[in-house]
Amino acid sequence: RVSGAAEPWTVERVFEFFPRLAERQKSWARSLSGGEQQMLAIGRALMTNPSLLIMDEPSEGLAPAVLDVIQDRLAGLRSSGLSILIAEQNVDLALDISERVVIIDDSGRAHVIDLGLAELVRPALGREGGPAELDARIDVYAIAAMLHEMVTGSRVSTNELSSVPPETLPPL
């Protein structure tokens, strides 16, 4: 989805979005906790007023309480109309904030799961004792297909793209 004409992101708006950053605004970034650094990274990205927010492992290394805040804020961004593309091994997070999830299996094939199927898929992906996680491999064709659909609104299969050498795909 492409975001509409929303209110521009400013430092003040980021502080409203992440109140913890307002409390720590006099601190050096290197002195922030991992969760605070993740909030800062998201806030800095939002201040560019993107139509697409791309994130790699936003939950990595975060304490459960901080993860809840990040997950809530990402879901809010999604609800506001901002398109978000994440590479994430925490399947619960991915399923909670996504309209569509691409899972790369051990053979490297991409499987697209629409939001309506998320609750059916979640139990099959879970592991006892913690959040569901998958070992993922980057599949440039699956990502290119998702980006193509986000930009043009039309679907293209990874099979159609697989005949195109990766180096000829447009840069991300």
Side-chain angles (χ1 to χ4, degrees):
R1 294 175 300 162
V2 177
S3 62
E7 177 185 349
W9 284 94
T10 62
V11 172
E12 294 77 22
R13 187 168 175 212
V14 170
F15 285 165
E16 289 172 13
F17 196 66
F18 291 121
R20 182 67 182 145
L21 291 180
E23 296 168 12
R24 301 288 313 268
Q25 66 180 306
K26 301 281 185 196
S27 301
W28 290 98
R30 66 177 173 241
S31 71
L32 300 177
S33 71
E36 291 165 343
Q37 288 181 11
Q38 186 64 277
M39 291 176 201
L40 180 62
I42 294 169
R44 289 179 62 190
L46 290 173
M47 288 182 58
T48 68
N49 296 297
S51 57
L52 172 65
L53 180 63
I54 301 175
M55 302 180 71
D56 181 30
E57 300 284 349
S59 73
E60 185 177 16
L62 299 183
V66 176
L67 178 57
D68 289 343
V69 171
I70 299 291
Q71 188 167 342
D72 179 63
R73 296 306 184 268
L74 292 176
L77 289 171
R78 178 185 148 242
S79 296
S80 75
L82 179 64
S83 295
I84 302 173
L85 176 64
I86 63 170
E88 179 61 64
Q89 290 191 34
N90 181 326
V91 176
D92 289 327
L93 172 71
L95 292 175
D96 285 347
I97 68 167
S98 301
E99 292 179 3
R100 194 173 309 111
V101 176
V102 177
I103 296 176
I104 311 300
D105 68 19
D106 290 335
S107 71
R109 286 191 301 179
H111 305 277
V112 178
I113 301 170
D114 287 323
L115 183 63
L117 300 176
E119 290 308 314
L120 298 174
V121 173
R122 188 186 309 261
L125 299 176
R127 294 183 182 161
E128 293 185 25
E133 292 191 358
L134 290 178
D135 293 327
R137 286 194 271 159
I138 296 173
D139 184 330
V140 69
Y141 298 111
I143 293 171
M146 283 185 69
L147 289 173
H148 175 81
E149 183 177 350
M150 292 170 80
V151 171
T152 67
S154 64
R155 288 189 179 205
V156 61
S157 74
T158 55
N159 291 338
E160 292 174 77
L161 288 173
S162 64
S163 62
V164 178
E167 61 274 5
T168 65
L169 293 172
L172 298 179

